[in-house]
Amino acid sequence: EFADELDTLGVRVANLEKKADNVKITGEVRYHYAENDAKAFADKNTFETKLRSRIWVNGQINDDWTYTGMLQNEQNLGNDNGDEGVDFQRAYLNGKLGGLKVQAGRYNLKVAEGNVYDNRFDGIQASYGKDIKLTAGYGDADPGNDKGSKAEDVYYAELSGKVGSFDLMGGYYAFTKEGVTSDVDTDIWAVGANYAFDKNFKLGAMYLNGDKDGYKGEDDGFVVTAKYKGAKASQVGSWGLEAKYYDQGRSTYVDHTMDGLADSYTDKWDGFEGYSVAADYTLAKNIVAKVQYFDLEAKKGQADAETIWSQVVFTF
């Protein structure tokens, strides 16, 4: 009597299960503690302790296109001001148009290994190639917080490829109206190379050159990186070490990737130089701890700052 209804219900359930398979939800919780000992930056001589939670939603639209969204909540454990909130930090599409790979929406843009910019970005980019890849994009550099500068219009292009044990890259980044309300434009060039001695040890170097309106300080910089192994969330007991040396004029970065106080070294200080050392370790599956130390000083003047950054990241 109910054969037809059961058959119809079975089809509907199957369709729901199929659609459910198209959506994947993952998450990340990070606790961090940072302490800054800074001279000439009175407002930076502080400590910070926060809990950051992220929920990622990935959806399969069709064979060629996917959607990614991310909600973020930050809780400042150092006060009881109730200033925590949930923000829609990522919302973008990935897909193919002919031979191009396209990304569009609100995504994280990390260029020049983060030595130029690493933060939220509203725009579109296209990539072509595999062994030798060209990526170009346009949009609005809008971190959505008080960290670093913003820019009304940004154009960027990176060419990267692998030659033997070398990973090579070159890039151009144009930030129009940096600070949004100003008429300052910044153009930055970067070239870099990373050499893998074996599967564990890599040594890299990057040269940067910047042209910033009205800025008369040093216009170039370089970053040297040594990295050994690296903690993997899926491999308990895995670990890694990393050391970096920085020497960057103020025109060579807009929103630096580091958790030290690089972005505090404004035109007045002519940029910064110094080093960082870091170690990470996988405590348990999907639980990774990291400790990093920064020692930076101004290229001009007496400003300097030391930062200790520690974090534990849980992924699920």
Side-chain angles (χ1 to χ4, degrees), residues 101-303:
K101 292 183 178 180
V102 178
Q103 181 169 262
R106 174 166 291 177
Y107 53 91
N108 190 81
L109 177 66
K110 184 176 183 178
V111 293
E113 298 180 6
N115 295 313
V116 170
Y117 185 88
D118 180 14
N119 216 315
R120 198 174 77 176
F121 191 82
D122 296 337
I124 184 171
Q125 71 172 30
S127 300
Y128 181 80
K130 185 177 180 182
D131 296 329
I132 298 178
K133 183 170 71 171
L134 174 63
T135 299
Y138 165 78
D140 176 14
D142 182 6
N145 54 33
D146 60 355
K147 181 179 183 294
S149 301
K150 302 178 182 180
E152 187 174 278
D153 293 299
V154 179
Y155 305 84
Y156 62 92
E158 281 192 345
L159 181 65
S160 60
K162 188 175 183 65
V163 179
S165 297
F166 282 96
D167 288 314
L168 306 175
M169 66 77 62
Y172 170 70
Y173 321 98
F175 294 83
T176 303
K177 291 187 178 180
E178 183 185 340
V180 178
T181 57
S182 72
D183 290 324
V184 174
D185 297 342
T186 302
D187 297 312
I188 302 172
W189 293 88
V191 291
N194 290 284
Y195 181 78
F197 288 87
D198 52 37
K199 66 179 182 179
N200 292 323
F201 181 61
K202 290 184 179 181
L203 184 64
M206 179 173 292
Y207 172 78
L208 306 104
N209 186 277
D211 181 9
K212 182 177 182 178
D213 290 350
Y215 174 69
K216 298 180 180 180
E218 291 192 29
D219 61 1
D220 60 1
F222 64 90
V223 180
V224 178
T225 304
K227 187 172 183 178
Y228 184 72
K229 292 187 176 181
K232 298 178 176 61
S234 60
Q235 185 178 339
V236 179
S238 61
W239 58 277
L241 300 172
E242 183 179 71
K244 287 179 174 284
Y245 179 78
Y246 311 88
D247 188 331
Q248 292 189 245
R250 185 61 186 90
S251 64
T252 67
Y253 59 96
V254 173
D255 196 338
H256 209 285
T257 190
M258 72 161 66
D259 292 306
L261 298 183
D263 294 331
S264 296
Y265 292 89
T266 60
D267 295 7
K268 174 183 178 181
W269 308 111
D270 205 14
F272 68 96
E273 58 184 324
Y275 69 93
S276 68
V277 290
D280 55 8
Y281 182 81
T282 303
L283 302 171
K285 186 176 180 180
N286 298 328
I287 304 176
V288 179
K290 181 178 181 179
V291 177
Q292 193 164 16
Y293 171 76
F294 299 89
D295 189 350
L296 308 175
E297 62 182 29
K299 295 174 68 64
K300 179 181 178 181
Q302 302 300 312

Side-chain angles (χ1 to χ4, degrees), residues 7 19 50 192 257 315:
D7 286 343
K19 290 180 180 180
K50 286 186 177 182
T257 190
T315 55

